[in-house]
Amino acid sequence: MDDAGIKVIATNRRAQRDYDIIGTYECGMVLRGSEVKSLRDGTVTIAEAYGKVASGEVWLHSMHVPPRPTVAAAFAPDPDRPRKLLLHRSEISRIKARVEQDRLLLIPLSLYFRDGRAKVEMALARRRRKVDRRTILARREAELEARRAMSQAARTHDRDAR
């Protein structure tokens, strides 16, 4: 994503930790009434959200967009309703094939406004096993320790050279 005209609303940090990301797609969303203003307020939750392909359309389920307090309850849309995602037909068929054949999941990575339009970055992903997550965390911790040791040695070397 280039940063020209983009305002990030929400990110799914858990997705980077729990899934292996295989491919990403930028999707538009069909929103109702006051949902756009709720998104602009940044009161949306995408951590539990997931995508599904049904009858040639992609839907985003479990994304929570709370209604604005100024909207009458009769006109407020359901905060957890499925939202239709806008993609090209070829992308939808490609996603459907990958989800069915490779047993991949469709998860949101981030929600943002690009040039005033709400977009969601969806990813085809494979869930990591617990063992994989542990090894990744151990590797990250080892790299951090190595960097600390190298910077400490460099500081000691600089102090001794003076």
Side-chain angles (χ1 to χ4, degrees):
M1 269 190 308
D2 56 342
D3 292 341
I6 293 180
K7 179 188 173 212
V8 177
I9 301 164
T11 56
N12 189 354
R13 285 188 238 130
R14 233 187 333 169
Q16 301 293 335
R17 184 187 69 214
D18 294 346
Y19 299 95
D20 288 324
I21 307 300
I22 293 165
T24 61
Y25 296 90
E26 181 182 63
C27 311
M29 282 192 302
V30 177
L31 299 171
R32 292 187 190 154
S34 64
E35 287 181 326
V36 176
K37 287 195 175 187
S38 292
L39 290 181
R40 288 198 191 283
D41 291 344
T43 58
V44 63
T45 307
I46 63 170
E48 300 296 322
Y50 61 95
K52 270 191 177 178
V53 180
S55 64
E57 297 176 335
V58 181
W59 295 86
L60 183 61
H61 294 269
S62 298
M63 180 175 82
H64 184 77
V65 181
R68 290 181 53 89
T70 57
V71 176
F75 297 109
D78 179 23
D80 295 316
R81 73 178 180 84
R83 288 163 181 87
K84 185 176 177 179
L85 298 179
L86 305 173
L87 288 157
H88 291 283
R89 180 124 352 252
S90 61
E91 290 177 323
I92 294 172
S93 60
R94 203 173 314 128
I95 289 170
K96 183 177 182 185
R98 294 289 306 268
V99 166
E100 290 174 354
Q101 290 173 359
D102 299 339
R103 309 275 299 163
L104 299 177
L105 301 169
L106 192 57
I107 57 168
L109 295 180
S110 64
L111 185 64
Y112 53 92
F113 281 103
R114 176 182 290 243
D115 299 326
R117 297 183 187 271
K119 305 281 185 180
V120 63
E121 184 180 21
M122 298 295 289
L124 284 171
R126 183 174 288 116
R127 185 178 289 278
R128 287 184 182 149
R129 295 191 322 262
K130 207 170 215 173
V131 175
D132 295 339
R133 282 185 260 165
R134 286 186 189 137
T135 57
I136 288 170
L137 289 173
R139 187 181 321 127
R140 197 177 298 154
E141 187 66 32
E143 289 171 0
L144 182 65
E145 284 295 321
R147 270 189 265 131
R148 282 183 186 153
M150 288 175 62
S151 67
Q152 181 66 31
R155 274 188 256 137
T156 305
H157 183 296
D158 288 344
R159 188 178 49 213
D160 292 343
R162 291 183 193 167

